[in-house]
Amino acid sequence: MTVHLTLSGSTNADAIEQALLSEISRLESVLSRHEESSELRRVRGSTDSQRVSRELFDVLVAAESWWRRSDGIFDPVAELRQEELAAIGDTAGFVLDSENGAVTFAVPDVVDLDGLAKGVILDLSAKRMREQFPGLDQIVVEIGGDLVVLGDGYHRVTVADPRSPADNADPLAVLRVGNRSVASSGGYARTVIRDGVEGSHIVDPRSGGAAAQTLGTTVVAENGCDADALATVLSVLDAEAGLDLVESLEGVECVVVSADGIVYRSSGFGELLDPAATVQTGAGSIASTGQEVSLEFTLQAPEGGESRRSYRRPYVAAWVESPETGDSVRTLCLWIQKRRWLRDLRTWYREHREDRELIDSVSRATRRAGSYELVWKGRSDDGETMPVGQYTICLEVAREHGTHQLIRVPVTLGRGGSVTRLPSNEEISGGTVTVRSR
């Protein structure tokens, strides 16, 4: 366990540390399936209705909620033998009695809350410290790679790359996190042997075998319970299905590394990246890696009271920026109808308004609503081969009688493939930025 404290006044750090350890120990005595004397171990051994503590009941409520929200992928009884499943029926392995704060387990000694218990412990212990110690401006508690940041300011979080699990390997990402929780999961760092086969410790409840769709997942959410549960769910689902689930939730972002090493990012994950951090990629040019970047997006069709007759086709600019300098290195498209309105693409125009030669060479007619793809093969506007490293893919859309939209997506060239979802807005109905082999 690691703890970071930011204090003001005469608040005593040692007192906070002792109180925190005591609170974590107390919560583990309620929720742990490893401690023989824990409340969970005691009550799950019976199939009679039993009243339980408020904390255990709340965690059971959360577990049942995630079981339903994930269509059974988050499963507190995932390791049950098939012949025992009939005893469970359409439940998460237990039935709750809210009026009496009681629970009835369908089968004894199998319910496992590890999929979210750590997140709950992080949430409750950090919140308790903030309430107990007014001079505690920020607390960061990390247990086994999962952490909570509560209070003022941001905390830098390094996300390990499951494709390169060595301790000194370059990270997958470096995040700036404030008042959020981070949870990581995956079988790459912890394997077990089932039926003579080594695989992930995470069980796919659909097959009863080891989850094999992903190498690792990291989730950032507003609380540790949700982050922990989702990290488990995303370790079972395939990457695309996992991103669909995350995009349907408020305040949640994720990065998923699939079993074939492709990195998938949710639409808002890039906003969490620490701009001061640089992830190393090694020497070489983008061309030497055989990689390219694909930008796919869909221009929204008119909706509601806006008729097709009154709809004005949007002006669109897409380009690649160097994050080190913020300069544009390559313009991928410039779709305009009348040059005098080019300034509506104010971000692109601010840098290129004097470059008439570039404008003349890349300008094309506007496009109707529909889906489009642009590809960057790693060269600059001047034809130079760019080095591997970090870049930003930018998409700007401006429409008469419509809105102005700007999307920025960070990508890393030279470290394998990746897929990042684009956020949807009034002009763009989603899309992806993909780093892939040519």
Side-chain angles (χ1 to χ4, degrees):
M1 183 179 75
T2 304
V3 181
H4 298 269
L5 305 174
T6 303
L7 308 175
S8 60
S10 58
T11 306
N12 188 298
D14 290 336
I16 296 174
E17 182 180 11
Q18 291 304 313
L20 177 65
L21 292 173
S22 176
E23 180 66 5
I24 290 174
S25 178
R26 186 187 72 81
L27 292 169
E28 288 178 340
S29 72
V30 174
L31 303 174
S32 175
R33 73 178 175 96
H34 305 287
E35 292 187 13
E36 292 186 8
S37 60
S38 74
E39 182 182 6
L40 175 62
R41 284 284 295 269
R42 174 174 56 81
V43 299
R44 75 174 189 169
S46 171
T47 56
D48 296 331
S49 176
Q50 303 171 82
R51 296 191 67 177
V52 295
S53 68
R54 181 77 254 175
E55 283 145 337
L56 179 54
F57 190 86
D58 287 346
V59 175
L60 289 167
V61 169
E64 182 182 54
S65 173
W66 274 110
W67 172 74
R68 295 191 183 281
R69 294 167 76 180
S70 66
D71 292 327
I73 296 300
F74 181 89
D75 192 354
V77 292
E79 300 204 39
L80 261 187
R81 295 188 302 274
Q82 292 297 313
E83 59 267 24
E84 295 175 309
L85 293 178
I88 294 175
D90 185 26
T91 72
F94 51 85
V95 176
L96 297 172
D97 178 356
S98 299
E99 184 176 345
N100 296 302
V103 59
T104 302
F105 293 97
V107 179
D109 295 322
V110 295
V111 166
D112 176 359
L113 299 176
D114 283 1
L116 47 66
K118 189 194 301 182
V120 171
I121 290 173
L122 287 168
D123 285 339
L124 295 179
S125 60
K127 183 179 179 182
R128 188 73 175 271
M129 294 306 101
R130 287 270 291 169
E131 293 172 347
Q132 188 173 341
F133 298 93
L136 178 56
D137 296 331
Q138 186 194 70
I139 180 170
V140 181
V141 186
E142 178 182 353
I143 302 177
D146 295 353
L147 60 87
V148 60
V149 181
L150 198 60
D152 302 332
Y154 293 91
H155 182 74
R156 192 185 235 203
V157 179
T158 299
V159 179
D161 190 339
R163 301 167 300 181
S164 304
D167 287 343
N168 63 341
D170 294 326
L172 183 66
V174 181
L175 311 179
R176 289 176 75 245
V177 178
N179 283 313
R180 307 286 287 278
S181 294
V182 182
S184 296
S185 188
Y188 74 96
R190 178 181 163 198
T191 59
V192 297
I193 297 176
R194 294 186 184 87
D195 299 325
V197 179
E198 185 177 14
S200 171
H201 68 285
I202 300 170
V203 176
D204 185 337
R206 298 167 298 187
S207 66
Q213 298 281 2
T214 67
L215 293 178
T217 67
T218 294
V219 176
V220 182
E222 294 178 352
N223 62 74
C225 178
D226 290 347
D228 204 1
L230 270 169
T232 301
V233 171
L234 267 57
S235 295
V236 176
L237 293 172
D238 66 77
E240 288 287 354
L243 258 67
D244 286 342
L245 175 60
V246 167
E247 297 289 357
S248 71
L249 303 171
E250 292 288 336
V252 179
E253 303 296 343
C254 74
V255 58
V256 178
V257 181
S258 65
D260 55 2
I262 305 298
V263 179
Y264 293 79
R265 300 183 182 93
S266 61
S267 59
F269 188 80
E271 297 176 9
L272 300 172
L273 296 177
D274 185 346
T278 301
V279 178
Q280 301 298 317
T281 57
S285 67
I286 295 173
S288 69
T289 68
Q291 289 184 322
E292 64 183 15
V293 181
S294 166
L295 168 60
E296 296 183 81
F297 60 94
T298 300
L299 296 177
Q300 288 269 36
E303 295 182 0
E306 189 175 18
S307 70
R308 294 187 179 275
R309 183 179 298 274
S310 63
Y311 176 78
R312 296 291 185 267
R313 293 184 180 185
Y315 284 15
V316 178
W319 69 97
V320 183
E321 283 183 351
S322 166
E324 294 181 0
T325 63
D327 295 335
S328 169
V329 298
R330 176 74 170 184
T331 295
L332 303 177
C333 83
L334 182 61
W335 298 341
I336 60 175
Q337 195 68 30
K338 296 180 180 179
R339 296 289 181 89
R340 68 176 181 270
W341 303 119
L342 181 58
R343 62 173 59 90
D344 288 352
L345 294 169
R346 49 183 178 263
T347 305
W348 186 91
Y349 184 72
R350 187 163 49 242
E351 181 169 352
H352 294 291
R353 59 187 174 187
E354 303 298 334
D355 196 343
R356 306 306 304 178
E357 184 176 344
L358 176 64
I359 293 173
D360 290 341
S361 65
V362 300
S363 295
R364 299 292 185 272
T366 55
R367 303 294 196 268
R368 67 179 64 189
S371 297
Y372 299 93
E373 180 184 19
L374 303 168
V375 176
W376 182 48
K377 296 183 181 295
R379 293 188 179 275
S380 70
D381 285 326
D382 297 327
E384 298 179 16
T385 301
M386 303 301 295
V388 297
Q390 293 177 300
Y391 293 88
T392 303
I393 307 300
C394 306
L395 177 63
E396 186 173 20
V397 181
R399 184 167 61 87
E400 185 181 359
H401 307 308
T403 65
H404 174 270
Q405 302 290 337
L406 177 63
I407 299 172
R408 281 190 163 97
V409 177
V411 296
T412 302
L413 281 299
R415 296 195 62 190
S418 66
V419 179
T420 304
R421 293 281 185 92
L422 295 182
S424 296
N425 55 50
E426 289 89 338
E427 308 299 336
I428 300 292
S429 60
T432 58
V433 174
T434 303
V435 178
R436 66 192 183 193
S437 298
R438 295 180 189 172

